[in-house]
Amino acid sequence: MGIKARTRVKEALSSKEYGKELTLKGWVRTRRGNKKIAFISLNDGSTINNIQIVADVPLFGDALLKKITTGSCISVTGELKESMGKGQNVEILAKKIELYGTADPSSYPLQKKGHTLEFLREIAHLRPRTKTFGAVLRIRHAMAYAIHKFFNDKGFYYLHTPVITGADAEGAGEMFRVTTLDISNPPMTEDNKVDYKQDFFGRETNLTVSGQLEAELGALALSEVYTFGPTFRAENSNTPRHLAEFWMIEPEMAFCDIEDNMDLAEEFLKYLLVRLLDQCGEDIEFLAGMYDEELTNRIRHVAENEFIRISYGEAVDILSGSGQKFEFPNHWGADLQSEHERFLVEKHFKKPVIITGYPKEIKAFYMKQNDDGITVRAMDVLFPRIGEIIGGSQREEDMDKLEKRIKEMNIPRDELWWYLDTRRFGTAPHSGFGLGFERLMLFVTGMSNIRDVIPFPRTPNNAEF
Ligand code: 4AD
Ligand code: MG
């Protein structure tokens, strides 16, 4: 069988079975050499490192070897040998080479090294073949797997929440409409509005901005659940930290208050960072060398130090007493801008910060109201270089208070009857949070643009494939 017969480059590189015959398959990074001998550097995505294939030119012929250019795909069977060359322990002495696919050097976009990340975004269909994106995608996989492992080991259940929904979880209204109506000629009601009763679902529907409301339904039955899925926001913010389609991890726990929620968030993030350093060392080292010398230290520093916990009020006091000039001056009641968040984390505390007790006006309707009548039990986790990486809260479990808030905020109550039922029937204190997966990826890879930590970024004017 093809796959069984193939050895991955990663395994071959760490093997000591000299003399053994192996078959490797992959894409050519470079070919160099002379009239007698050719050196082909091969990679199959299993590791950042390439394996050197040594090919005897007379044995294979110039005609074949000339077609083995950067980007071409080959299968090589040969003998594993200890290498005398610098920077590698083993090489493959080729006995048989099969050429699967050529890559014309005059048109292959990755013919040369050292492309800018901006250029690579334009050829997102080929960039997984670069060292940088190989490393990013392997780390992305390792982090996704670690997330599932963390929650599974804690007894949480993975809850699949819907992508298409009739609810606006964050009340922000920045949603993508889902419809099968003919938008150039939609059915109209008598009072001249689009008649969504005739749409596919018999109502208005959108892509979800968060699985939280459904996760709450799960938590109030299974106690501890988490979601991990794509979420969509139609905010037209073309920043290095926003995507229109991003992945979010949302744990939701019954019998859990804001303190427990903060403890879990901190434990969770540290767990991921420790596993990352343990399992993705080579990829991290490569990215650190290319983009961010401080990467490993920064990850270690966050993994090893306690996060600072302060209230929104304290944060505002620190900012106004700092003497620092901000583009957006801060005052009590205003949302913290990313420049404020980064000042607190990077300059003032030099550690991750969790801020709680935000004014209710700047937070979502579902957050638990404090007795002061002014603030809610929100929590934002702020990271160096990133700003907000997690947003969460204890939820308002009291039906009367929740209904009052929904009314104050002019949220259509009828659309949330199912959510409110959890407060009518067996309500319980509960909390949860959302981790933006790509924000985490920014932190762990040292990349500075969120478009470079997801395989196929969706941003304004960008959704070709
Ligand atoms: O703070 P947010 O909006 O919170 C929620 O959606 C809650 N329902 C979560 C919960 O309590 N279950 O988003 C959570 C996180 C942010 O902290 C940020 O990391 C990320 O999602 N995020 C984005 N990531 C990339 N692009 C965007 N446009 C993002 N918007 C939010
Ligand atoms: Mg938020």
Side-chain angles (χ1 to χ4, degrees), residues 363 380 388 391:
K363 289 293 182 188
D380 278 7
E388 180 189 337

Side-chain angles (χ1 to χ4, degrees), residues 170 209-210 212 233 235 241-243 246 248 250 252 366 388-393 395 432-436 439 450:
E170 292 303 297
V209 294
S210 158
Q212 178 196 321
R233 297 201 183 170
E235 44 194 342
R241 283 176 298 109
H242 287 87
L243 289 165
F246 65 99
M248 188 154 45
E250 297 184 273
E252 191 70 34
Y366 51 70
E388 180 189 337
I389 195 164
I390 279 181
S393 69
R395 319 305 188 189
F433 61 80
L435 167 67
R439 298 266 174 100
I450 201 161

Side-chain angles (χ1 to χ4, degrees), residues 179-187 194-200:
T179 180
T180 53
L181 295 178
D182 175 1
I183 56 165
S184 60
N185 184 26
V194 174
D195 187 7
Y196 286 104
K197 285 212 172 62
Q198 296 186 48
D199 203 347
F200 188 91

Side-chain angles (χ1 to χ4, degrees), residues 312-348:
Y312 169 87
E314 289 171 291
V316 170
D317 288 345
I318 293 169
L319 292 167
S320 37
S322 68
Q324 178 89 9
K325 272 241 172 309
F326 294 109
E327 190 187 337
F328 299 95
N330 181 259
H331 58 88
W332 208 98
D335 210 352
L336 297 180
Q337 301 292 324
S338 126
E339 53 173 341
H340 306 132
E341 297 175 342
R342 293 187 59 176
F343 173 82
L344 292 168
V345 174
E346 292 167 18
K347 299 237 168 70
H348 190 81

Side-chain angles (χ1 to χ4, degrees), residues 140 158 161-164 207-211 227-233 244-250 438 454:
R140 199 176 156 103
Y158 181 22
T161 51
V163 167
I164 301 173
L207 295 179
T208 187
V209 294
S210 158
T227 73
F228 188 170
T231 47
F232 307 86
R233 297 201 183 170
E245 174 178 308
F246 65 99
W247 287 67
M248 188 154 45
I249 300 97
E250 297 184 273
E438 286 75 21
I454 185 166

